[in-house]
Amino acid sequence: MKVIALGVNSAFAVGEFDSEGKYSPKFQSNFLLEFESRGKGCVDGKPVFRFCLDFGGDIRHSLKGVGLSMSDVDAWYCSHPHADHIGGLEGIALSTFFHPFWNAEKAEWSKASKIPIIERLMAGEELPEECKPIMMGHPAVLRAIWHAGKPGLNTLQGITKVNLGIYFRLVPMHAGVPHTFQDGNREWTVYTIESTHVKAGMESMPSYGLMFESSDGKCVYFPTDTLFMNPKTMAAFYRKANVIYQDTETGPRSEVHSHIDDIRLADPEIKKKCYLYHYNAPPEVEEGEFAGVLQRGEVHLY
């Protein structure tokens, strides 16, 4: 499994202009995971299945930074419905929906008729599931992202019953139910893990992180946006993981992210597993205190 940091910054981080007026953006926190199995891509003669973990509004630009576009991704996952994690939804849906050759199966389906896609759907024909990108997420998140994207995605001409399933092959990820990704000779099993992101009044917003466990014993954990180890039972997942990608707030406390001051108080053995990201400004850390401070474009192989 290859992990690529498409972006590492917080929702409201802003880039800078240099002395010549050139702008360097700070991309929102999204990850691209690549598995050696059948997908749209091929690298060095080997098939590649691409899985994007969260997709903020600048996802098309951060993908461009690694030489890819939204149509190169096989599957998408959303941890929770905040704009820096779902802001790219409409662009992804529309750019792939109207792409007649998005994958081999859709190319075959498109060539079977000279009638445009929208007209075929208006006539009652259904786009086969294998012709759509995959959208994965906890059922509650899938409902929420449709509600967020509905104003723009509900405007297909002549089609009265539009839903998220028109655009994506939906894969609900229920808590405790494993999903698998083949990766060459290995297999990765992935679970969703609920944590607390926002507590506001009488309501709260969870974020659903992902724990990847390989068939040869490797464990990689993405808690996603969360209050640090909240609930406290999350500590068991932190101890189990070999590598943790930890969201890290470095500015004033918002009480909706793991703050660097709290992370510093964690067990040193846990801290050494953590790559810090989702920061406004990079945190200043002691050498060896953490696995590292993640930089945009950084690649890790597992």
Side-chain angles (χ1 to χ4, degrees), residues 9-32:
N9 291 108
S10 61
F12 305 113
V14 178
E16 300 173 346
F17 288 95
D18 63 18
S19 59
E20 298 179 353
K22 182 180 179 181
Y23 184 67
S24 296
K26 290 184 177 180
F27 289 112
Q28 295 167 346
S29 296
N30 309 289
F31 292 94
L32 182 69

Side-chain angles (χ1 to χ4, degrees), residues 24-43:
S24 296
K26 290 184 177 180
F27 289 112
Q28 295 167 346
S29 296
N30 309 289
F31 292 94
L32 182 69
L33 279 58
E34 294 186 347
F35 302 92
E36 187 184 329
S37 60
R38 184 176 181 273
K40 288 174 56 60
C42 183
V43 177

